Amino acid sequence: MRRPSLSCISPRWLAVLAAGVLAAGVSTQAMAEGSIRIAQQFGIGYLILDVVQDQKLIEKYGKQAGLDIKVEWTSLSGATGMNEALLAGALDVVSAGAPPALVLWDRTRGRQNVKAIASLGSMPNYLLSNNPNVKSIKDFSDKDRIAVPAAGVGFQSRTLQIETAKVFGKEDFKRFDSISVSLSHPDATAALIAGGSEINAHFSSPPFQYQALENKNLHKVISSYDIMGGPATFNVLYTTQKFHDDNPKTYRAFYQALVEAAEFVRNNKAKAADTFIRVQKSKLAPEFVRKIVEDPEIRFTVSPERTFVYAEKLHELGVLKNRASSWKDYFFEEAYAQPGS
């Protein structure tokens, strides 16, 4: 069952959980083996999860293990709400960009020991602008406003911080945090296309960036692939050591479901595009969605790619206190069966 969207994230996380997650009917009590509560964000970056939900793959593998798994689906916007809900016990598995997952791994070592479960695929995120004077990040000024899902801490902000450090120096890596505005991708896309608001830039993601670029007044400033040196994991799934250890059959069923869903997407792209439209109730044209799913820049895979680049760069900037020796330090061992980086 898909839960209501919880897109209003307050900086005071206890209040958020009381007024948001709890209001949506999600229990904060620890769930026994045979139950899993999963949260995802919006966009085609979560297509693997859409397939898992649509085909009831967790339930399928649970039955093979002798379990009738109860699956609850929730939608949240932004890594902040995801992380707070996970640590509060309101959710079992959450999804966000690789950088927010790494930050939580770093800050929970020796306590909740949060680690990644799997990648949800590699796909470029484009920094877009409707300001014709902005050709590179050097052209942004205090008059510009950049929309991101989670200002300062989300995937897009961390990726921009890495590029900012490269261009302006490590000591100035947060230069653009002050002109960043937290806004969901759908709302940011609408604002950028409409124009006339303070939002004149958006660090977007598929499918929203492709939708936006159909407007002749918008242009791409830079891609996350440019910043990372090639294809890189966009989103990952992650959970606590406790959920992983206390629910081995449920966890295994979930991981097997992800592997099957990724294979389905790769081998059935048109059907996968239709799944996205149906599950996320998208109003985008089927042909448009299929074009995105078939984009050669996008790889739907559970294997992490270039996440270690994020780990190294964020450690250099002081965002991460702990230095990882490899990608396996912050992924649970089930992921080791797949190639990774």
Side-chain angles (χ1 to χ4, degrees):
M1 178 176 68
R2 177 170 289 280
R3 294 291 183 178
S5 168
L6 305 174
S7 59
C8 296
I9 303 302
S10 164
R12 296 178 179 270
W13 62 271
L14 286 173
V16 171
L17 293 172
V21 177
L22 293 179
V26 181
S27 171
T28 59
Q29 300 300 311
M31 304 293 275
E33 176 84 290
S35 297
I36 186 169
R37 300 162 300 173
I38 307 163
Q40 69 181 80
Q41 299 188 54
F42 305 95
I44 211 158
Y46 300 89
L47 178 56
I48 288 176
L49 287 181
D50 293 335
V51 171
V52 168
Q53 181 185 359
D54 189 60
Q55 298 185 13
K56 298 187 181 301
L57 296 179
I58 301 172
E59 293 88 338
K60 167 188 167 181
Y61 284 105
K63 283 183 172 62
Q64 291 181 11
L67 285 177
D68 287 323
I69 299 177
K70 179 184 178 183
V71 184
E72 295 184 12
W73 296 91
T74 300
S75 295
L76 287 167
S77 179
T80 303
M82 289 282 185
N83 291 348
E84 290 163 352
L86 179 66
L87 295 181
L91 293 167
D92 301 313
V93 174
V94 298
S95 52
L102 281 165
V103 170
L104 205 58
W105 162 78
D106 180 64
R107 295 178 182 174
T108 61
R109 288 190 70 180
R111 293 176 291 169
Q112 297 97 330
N113 292 321
V114 171
K115 290 185 180 181
I117 299 167
S119 164
L120 286 174
S122 298
M123 54 190 64
N125 279 220
Y126 296 164
L127 175 56
L128 308 175
S129 178
N130 60 17
N131 181 350
N133 296 319
V134 175
K135 304 298 184 184
S136 74
I137 68 167
K138 292 181 180 179
D139 299 322
F140 282 117
S141 72
D142 292 342
K143 296 180 181 179
D144 296 297
R145 292 294 180 269
I146 305 170
V148 290
V153 297
F155 172 89
Q156 289 79 10
S157 281
R158 293 301 189 195
T159 304
L160 182 57
Q161 287 170 357
I162 290 172
E163 180 67 12
T164 303
K166 187 190 307 180
V167 174
F168 297 99
K170 289 194 295 184
E171 68 284 349
D172 202 18
F173 78 97
K174 292 186 176 181
R175 168 187 285 250
F176 298 120
D177 285 11
S178 62
I179 64 169
S180 295
V181 179
S182 293
L183 202 61
S184 71
H185 285 310
D187 290 341
T189 302
L192 202 63
I193 292 174
S197 74
E198 67 169 1
I199 303 300
N200 61 3
H202 174 207
F203 211 143
S204 190
S205 71
F208 307 105
Q209 62 197 27
Y210 302 107
Q211 182 183 14
L213 285 173
E214 290 194 333
N215 186 298
K216 64 180 181 180
N217 295 322
L218 305 184
H219 65 278
K220 178 174 71 174
V221 178
I222 196 169
S223 165
S224 60
Y225 279 12
D226 299 328
I227 297 170
M228 298 303 291
T233 292
F234 174 26
N235 295 315
V236 297
L237 294 158
Y238 48 105
T239 189
T240 61
Q241 185 82 49
K242 179 175 175 56
F243 181 80
H244 173 273
D245 293 352
D246 289 355
N247 303 275
K249 291 182 179 180
T250 302
Y251 186 96
R252 182 64 180 169
F254 181 49
Y255 191 79
Q256 290 174 310
L258 294 169
V259 173
E260 180 174 329
E263 184 177 0
F264 175 84
V265 174
R266 290 193 297 270
N267 296 330
N268 303 274
K269 292 187 175 180
K271 291 182 179 179
D274 292 340
T275 299
F276 167 80
I277 293 171
R278 182 170 59 255
V279 175
Q280 296 207 19
K281 297 180 174 60
S282 173
K283 295 181 181 179
L284 295 174
E287 297 79 12
F288 181 74
V289 176
R290 288 171 193 156
K291 181 179 179 181
I292 296 170
V293 175
E294 294 169 358
D295 187 333
E297 278 198 309
I298 296 178
R299 304 177 184 178
F300 291 99
T301 174
V302 296
S303 299
E305 292 187 288
R306 285 186 170 85
T307 63
F308 192 57
V309 176
Y310 276 114
E312 288 187 310
K313 295 296 184 183
L314 294 177
H315 181 265
E316 289 174 8
L317 296 177
V319 175
L320 303 181
K321 295 180 180 178
N322 295 285
R323 185 171 190 174
S325 59
S326 81
W327 67 273
K328 293 182 178 181
D329 286 355
Y330 46 84
F331 271 82
F332 285 111
E333 57 267 24
E334 286 79 5
Y336 301 172
Q338 308 290 330
S341 63

